Amino acid sequence: WGDDGHEVVGYIAQAFLTSGAASFVSEYLDSSYDGQLGPAATWADSVKYEKAYEWSQPYHFVDAMDSPLSGSCSVEETRDCDSEGCILTAIANYTTRVTDTSLSKTQRDEALKFLTHFLGDVTQPLHCENYEVGGNDISVTFNGASDNLHSVWDTGMIELNLKANYDDSVADYADALVQRIQSGDLQSQASGWIACVNPTEKLDSRATISPLECPIEWARDANAYDCSYVFQYTKGSDLATTSYYTGAIPIIDVQLAKGGYRLAAWLNTLFDGSS
Ligand code: DCM
Ligand code: DCM
Ligand code: DCM
Ligand code: ZN
Ligand code: ZN
């Protein structure tokens, strides 16, 4: 996702943190973010082209070598996540590091910022797809301009939706999604989004669960949209002015909502022993 999507994920998560997780965030998050996961969620993108952080570039996605145009979608760790790592191993790594009391405050702050970002990216269908470099190499027209399919999903459709429905306010969009999770149309689905973060289980009793289990489940969930929707646009059409856009918005809403709700549940499990 672009900055707007990541900030929405961070703001949603913030709204669902329980006290222990909220305390960890306010104590460990770099003070320049004022204790808010929303503004901190874009940090990982802001550093990834710096020489010192180039190693983190492959952590933003998993190149699933499936066949979405043939209706075959899948994510496999051994096939799709090579030795340099991917978003699956990055989530596992930073989950371990954020709770590692032998690490410095700066290292745990960095782990929290990476987790906040990657639990967002793993819900973007094209971040869980190898085809045409996750859609980066597919040229499309969007809102009268040349663009690529990946960027339309990361940024273009979200910006248009923010302008049309939320007065260009990321905070208003996040608030609306929080309301829909708490008491609206997303309420009945939300517990299913955190099936991998058992609310009644303590971290210790999950010790036998592979740290990759949840990231893989989340990536497969996002990747399924590559078969059901993402590549099913009319070639040559303007994606902003067709049913492609109106059909994509509910998918983007629910994916950003999942990212935020899962991030809160994840941190609540790690720092409160409950989600
Ligand atoms: N780095 C790493 N392992 C990761 C992620 C990042 O070693 N999973 C970092 C540590 C250093 C940089 O990559 O900042 C280069 O590491 P090295 O000096 O071990 O080659
Ligand atoms: N690092 C990481 N994951 C690891 C090891 C290191 O992200 N498994 C990052 C944390 C530091 C940087 O690399 O910002 C430098 O690592 P080190 O402290 O190991 O030199
Ligand atoms: N990206 C991806 N899969 C890839 C390569 C890149 O999902 N195999 C994402 C990362 C960025 C966007 O595409 O969100 C553009 O990547 P870059 O800036 O590295 O070209
Ligand atoms: Zn992207
Ligand atoms: Zn990213």
Side-chain angles (χ1 to χ4, degrees):
W1 305 112
D3 285 356
D4 295 337
H6 283 289
E7 286 173 19
V8 168
V9 167
Y11 281 120
I12 292 171
Q14 192 82 33
F16 290 103
L17 293 180
T18 50
S19 62
S23 298
F24 177 81
V25 169
S26 61
E27 190 181 342
Y28 279 81
L29 190 63
D30 182 327
S31 59
S32 66
Y33 299 109
D34 212 19
Q36 293 293 312
L37 294 174
T42 58
W43 173 84
D45 273 338
S46 73
V47 299
K48 74 178 180 180
Y49 299 114
E50 289 175 13
K51 200 89 191 143
Y53 284 94
E54 272 179 355
W55 47 267
S56 67
Q57 285 179 20
Y59 295 179
H60 292 252
F61 52 83
V62 54
D63 275 335
M65 307 276 274
D66 56 356
S67 304
L69 270 55
S70 311
S72 176
C73 276
S74 60
V75 182
E76 299 295 341
E77 187 211 342
T78 46
R79 182 192 62 186
D80 303 326
C81 197
D82 65 20
S83 56
E84 68 179 5
C86 72
I87 196 165
L88 308 174
T89 48
I91 290 172
N93 177 34
Y94 292 111
T95 298
T96 304
R97 289 175 68 87
V98 81
T99 56
D100 186 341
T101 53
S102 75
L103 295 181
S104 69
K105 194 165 178 177
T106 306
Q107 287 173 312
R108 294 178 74 187
D109 158 56
E110 199 160 279
L112 178 61
K113 289 182 292 191
F114 275 126
L115 267 186
T116 300
H117 187 88
F118 297 143
L119 263 74
D121 271 341
V122 78
T123 70
Q124 210 282 46
L126 288 168
H127 277 243
C128 302
E129 181 52 58
N130 175 65
Y131 181 67
E132 297 286 7
V133 197
N136 276 293
D137 286 356
I138 299 178
S139 300
V140 297
T141 301
F142 188 79
N143 216 11
S146 300
D147 210 331
N148 72 71
L149 190 64
H150 187 101
S151 138
V152 163
W153 278 84
D154 266 355
T155 311
M157 295 196 286
I158 294 176
E159 282 183 352
L160 218 54
N161 190 27
L162 280 170
K163 206 177 299 248
N165 297 306
Y166 302 98
D167 202 16
D168 250 339
S169 165
V170 165
D172 286 1
Y173 183 28
D175 283 348
L177 289 170
V178 167
Q179 291 298 322
R180 289 171 64 187
I181 294 168
Q182 283 175 335
S183 55
D185 63 306
L186 301 176
Q187 189 185 2
S188 61
Q189 311 170 34
S191 63
W193 303 340
I194 57 168
C196 226
V197 189
N198 189 326
T200 61
E201 222 168 19
K202 296 264 188 281
L203 185 63
D204 284 348
S205 65
R206 295 194 298 115
T208 55
I209 294 177
S210 155
L212 282 173
E213 185 171 296
C214 295
I216 287 174
E217 183 174 313
W218 300 337
R220 286 178 176 151
D221 177 62
N223 164 270
Y225 288 107
D226 294 320
C227 278
S228 65
Y229 195 86
V230 173
F231 296 107
Q232 295 171 20
Y233 56 91
T234 305
K235 274 195 191 149
S237 69
D238 187 323
L239 300 191
T241 59
T242 64
S243 60
Y244 187 77
Y245 167 73
T246 50
I249 292 305
I251 297 173
I252 292 171
D253 284 353
V254 84
Q255 292 305 94
L256 296 178
K258 282 174 191 172
Y261 200 61
R262 284 176 187 150
L263 176 59
W266 202 241
L267 296 174
N268 292 344
T269 305
L270 293 172
F271 297 108
D272 261 332
S274 73
S275 58

